[in-house]
């Protein structure tokens, strides 16, 4: 990634490691799984908004015949941000799908 939310290649070994650590899952071969960044509104982790959003996404994944694996909170270092950027910083999580 370039820090701006753009990823130009799937870091396969990294995603495999995270899937095993977090979900106890061995991912299928490259091209048979997906990892997507999902941006939730700031502060939604303390409200039902984030849970509602996740439920909708998980339901749609299953309706499409795919397997929901899990959510991974993306670690961030926002120590250099000022008040205004911090107030609008989204909560970023990754969804793993097979």
């Amino acid at each position: 990634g370039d820090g701006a939310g753009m990823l130009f290649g799937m870091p396969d070994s990294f995603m495999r490691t995270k899937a095993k650590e977090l979900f106890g899952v061995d991912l299928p071969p490259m091209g048979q799984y997906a990892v997507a960044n999902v941006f939730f509104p700031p502060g939604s982790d303390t409200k039902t908004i984030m849970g509602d959003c996740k439920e909708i996404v998980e339901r749609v994944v299953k309706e499409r015949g795919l397997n929901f694996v899990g959510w991974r909170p993306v670690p961030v270092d926002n120590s250099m941000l000022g008040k205004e950027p911090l107030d609008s910083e989204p909560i970023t999580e990754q969804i793993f799908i097979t």
Side-chain angles (χ1 to χ4, degrees):
D2 66 353
M6 298 181 77
L7 187 63
F8 294 98
M10 176 71 82
D12 184 57
S13 62
F14 176 79
M15 294 304 181
R16 288 182 181 288
T17 300
K18 290 301 173 188
K20 190 68 168 179
E21 285 175 6
L22 297 170
F23 317 120
V25 171
D26 290 315
L27 292 174
M30 181 75 160
Q32 295 181 22
Y33 73 93
V35 179
N37 287 335
V38 181
F39 301 97
F40 297 101
S44 61
D45 55 336
T46 60
K47 302 174 187 168
T48 60
I49 296 168
M50 191 168 173
D52 291 346
C53 290
K54 285 182 175 183
E55 285 180 21
I56 292 167
V57 171
E58 291 170 25
R59 185 184 75 236
V60 171
V61 165
K62 291 173 186 169
E63 286 173 356
R64 301 293 186 266
L66 302 170
N67 297 305
F68 164 75
V69 177
W71 291 97
R72 173 185 176 257
V74 176
V76 296
D77 178 3
N78 57 12
S79 62
M80 297 187 328
L81 297 179
K83 181 182 177 345
E84 288 181 24
L86 280 173
D87 288 346
S88 62
E89 180 183 27
I91 298 166
T92 307
E93 293 203 13
Q94 292 174 321
I95 183 171
F96 285 65
I97 301 168
T98 59

